[in-house]
Amino acid sequence: MKKLLIYSIITAMILSCTPPEEKAKVSAYPETAKVDTVDTYFGTDVSDPYRWLEDDNSEATAGWVTSQNEVTHSYLDNINFKENIKKRLTELYNYERVYAPNKHGDYYYFYKNDGLQNQNVLYRKATLDSEPEVFLDPNNFKEDGTISLGGTSYSEDGSLFGYLISEGGSDWRKAIIINTDDKAQVDDTLRHIKFSGLSWKGNEGFYYTKYDEPKKGEELSGINSQARVHYHKIGTPQSEDEVVFAPETEKTGAGGYLTEDDRYLVLTTFQGTSGNQLFIKDVQNGDDLITVIDHFDNDHNVIESKGDKLLVYTNLNAPNYRVVEVDPTNPAPENWKDIIPESENVLTAGTAGGYIFGSYLEDAKTAVKQFDYDGKLIRKVELPGIGTANGFGGNKEDKEIYYTFTSFTYPPTIFKYDIESGESELYEQPEIDFNPDDFETKQVFYESKDGTRVPMFITYKKGVELNGQNPTYLYAYGGFNVSLRPSFSTSRIVWLENGGIYAQPNLRGGGEYGEEWHKAGTKMQKQNVFDDFIAAGEYLISNKYTSSDYLAIAGGSNGGLLIGATMTQRPDLAKVAFPAVGVMDMLRYHKFTIGWAWASDYGTSEDSKEMFDYLRGYSPLHNLKEGTNYPATMVTTADHDDRVVPAHSFKFAATLQEKQAGDNPVLIRIETDAGHGAGTPISKAIEQQADMYSFAWYNMGIIPPVAKEVQ
């Protein structure tokens, strides 16, 4: 007890230190010109003075980006402990990471990173015990690692390999096909692929989705339209690819894939991020296209063929999802047969080795059950602990599968699972420079504004004193049916080992409790998401984990919207805010790239006056007010983000700099040759995280213990 008391006193002394007298300051913000741009919605005029920043090809926008980055990096480079944080992050990332293997043809393929390689390398080996060889190294695509793998696929016998590449983090993909024996390219490069993989038909060719070629100058911002499912035959030019399916309207996405036996072509269409139509075609018997579901109200996915029947994963009449058997000759939902009925927990389903594996979310934690194809429970899979397990899927002939288990303080570890016996054995465990026994995680439940019970995970170093002075990082998402589950983050170790607390609530809008939980955070109920997040911050403050002076709030994409809305509704809640690649202009988001698909969660400003008024009421860009003291804010985005175009962040940052009344800095950090996040090189990830942690601690008035060497 004495040792614990002494440790607490020393920690409090370190954390209560103020920054050195030579404090980093923001030089004058770049002058951002205003233009007289006004839109009229249902008789209401809305000014958009920074509209010109939407032009990502103009010299004026490029100059603004350069000037803003100069101000941002000048500020960050004057925080004298930033290099220590970067050094520690680099040390932590420098460990070998091996990923679960998959067998294709005569080889087991798997990814590995030696530690600081910008991109993971694809290896293969003939047996699990043989020496691996490098099969494809994406680090050779471009020296700085900004061209990355965007997907891979193997032909039926493993003789052909297709890989998709992403340039600068863009969602656009190019497909390259090679022989696996000599790695020689066998086809021309396929282009204009987006939101699609390659689904092989034997070894002859594959299905994929192609969008219209964007107009020159609109590659990263133009509307993505006219999705069509194509069939590409190996050895023929892309111009000869057959269009096998095209939705009736241009703002409808589409995808196609074959069942494992190559019999049924499954075709889906979507107009939002949830809900899809479902069609099937018996390609072996040449039958016409069969409509299974003709509306977009629910989610459906064919997970396996079962003789002449199909196993379909769906939430139709089952908000928590179920698995049903569908007869293609009589596919109406009233004829469906339950295989795995809906339960009180959300189900995700996959197949391997002739079995169905059902992964359930129990208060955002994973539980796995193994069933036969008739729905008989074989066993509950014993997992290593409380956390998240992924990888319960494979082929019918598989005898074993490899799953990954992780939690907040449990690095991703691979286990080999024997499908018949149900036994798991350790396959690969990373060695990282930290001791998980030094930390603890607990799950709490708190009440939101309307009384809804919301769960939250809280992770911290053992012995932390709940005195209201702990730097706390509150991260959430809250949208698009996405479930935030326990997961490990290498960079988060730096925050935790320096006395920080990490909190992750599971807000409405996510998928943690099924479709009802999701819908409760969409459209005219979106405010529930912000209320849930604000209540999470208030819980942490009232229970002395932290206080407003030591709280940082963070989120990306839809989570960036969350942070922007929280800042405008409760500018007093947190000291620091990190809105990343956020949807900040809720009146115009649907006018760029794939933004039209988000209307299923948000609605649009053109739907009705009621919807316009609601969106305008919380849109971060439109609710920044003159004379308000907002948190110290670092907006982050990237110049190649063609998911949430950077104009959202540009206009928000310019407006926030204009309206900010207090002394808290308002910076925007714009990454170059990067996109929405996927494929980000390790070097860039380390630099960005060092900047963010430095910014947070500095503006909280804290010198973290990792910085003691520079004092």
Side-chain angles (χ1 to χ4, degrees), residues 179-442:
N179 283 315
T180 54
D181 58 353
D182 60 6
K183 305 178 189 177
Q185 187 168 340
V186 299
D187 247 343
D188 290 335
T189 299
L190 276 63
R191 302 173 188 276
H192 308 128
I193 301 170
K194 207 168 195 183
F195 312 122
S196 173
L198 310 180
S199 179
W200 285 87
K201 181 182 179 182
N203 305 298
E204 304 167 359
F206 51 82
Y207 297 91
Y208 70 98
T209 301
K210 178 177 174 287
Y211 283 77
D212 274 354
E213 181 179 355
K215 296 178 182 177
K216 186 173 178 56
E218 296 183 3
E219 292 86 354
L220 299 176
S221 60
I223 287 286
N224 300 144
S225 60
Q226 294 295 349
R228 300 179 182 89
V229 178
H230 289 67
Y231 176 72
H232 175 75
K233 185 176 180 180
I234 296 299
T236 64
Q238 188 178 18
S239 59
E240 295 181 6
D241 287 355
E242 175 191 2
V243 177
V244 297
F245 183 74
E248 295 179 356
T249 59
E250 66 172 20
K251 290 185 180 179
T252 300
Y257 57 94
L258 283 168
T259 52
E260 188 180 338
D261 59 6
D262 281 357
R263 177 172 178 181
Y264 293 101
L265 175 62
V266 181
L267 296 159
T268 63
T269 61
F270 63 88
Q271 292 183 337
T273 53
S274 61
N276 64 281
Q277 294 176 320
L278 181 64
F279 309 91
I280 56 174
K281 181 180 176 65
D282 187 337
V283 294
Q284 290 183 358
N285 297 315
D287 292 343
D288 293 334
L289 192 68
I290 298 169
T291 300
V292 181
I293 294 292
D294 63 359
H295 59 79
F296 298 94
D297 297 338
N298 302 96
D299 297 304
H300 322 275
N301 181 33
V302 176
I303 61 172
E304 186 64 277
S305 56
K306 178 187 173 186
D308 292 331
K309 308 292 194 302
L310 295 171
L311 296 177
V312 176
Y313 169 71
T314 179
N315 64 359
L316 177 63
N317 300 322
N320 287 347
Y321 294 86
R322 58 179 173 149
V323 175
V324 297
E325 182 183 276
V326 177
D327 183 346
T329 65
N330 198 13
E334 57 266 26
N335 300 317
W336 293 0
K337 174 186 174 183
D338 269 3
I339 298 299
I340 303 178
E342 180 188 26
S343 76
E344 62 180 356
N345 296 310
V346 179
L347 168 70
T348 301
T351 62
Y355 293 94
I356 304 171
F357 289 88
S359 294
Y360 293 89
L361 275 184
E362 298 179 353
D363 290 329
K365 304 178 290 288
T366 301
V368 181
K369 295 180 181 179
Q370 183 176 343
F371 303 88
D372 67 17
Y373 278 5
D374 294 319
K376 177 185 175 183
L377 177 64
I378 303 301
R379 65 177 63 87
K380 180 176 181 179
V381 178
E382 294 298 325
L383 298 176
I386 295 174
T388 299
N390 291 307
F392 286 92
N395 298 319
K396 282 183 179 178
E397 68 270 16
D398 288 343
K399 302 300 181 185
E400 68 272 330
I401 52 179
Y402 296 82
Y403 69 88
T404 302
F405 181 83
T406 184
S407 70
F408 293 107
T409 58
Y410 195 109
T413 301
I414 304 169
F415 291 86
K416 178 181 176 182
Y417 179 78
D418 186 289
I419 293 175
E420 288 300 328
S421 71
E423 296 295 320
S424 291
E425 64 176 87
L426 180 65
Y427 177 76
E428 191 77 42
Q429 186 171 32
E431 295 182 5
I432 308 179
D433 181 22
F434 97 113
N435 182 6
D437 293 335
D438 291 342
F439 305 91
E440 61 181 303
T441 297
K442 67 184 202 176

Side-chain angles (χ1 to χ4, degrees), residues 447-458:
E447 283 194 2
S448 189
K449 184 177 181 178
D450 63 357
T452 297
R453 187 171 179 259
V454 181
M456 176 165 57
F457 293 102
I458 307 174

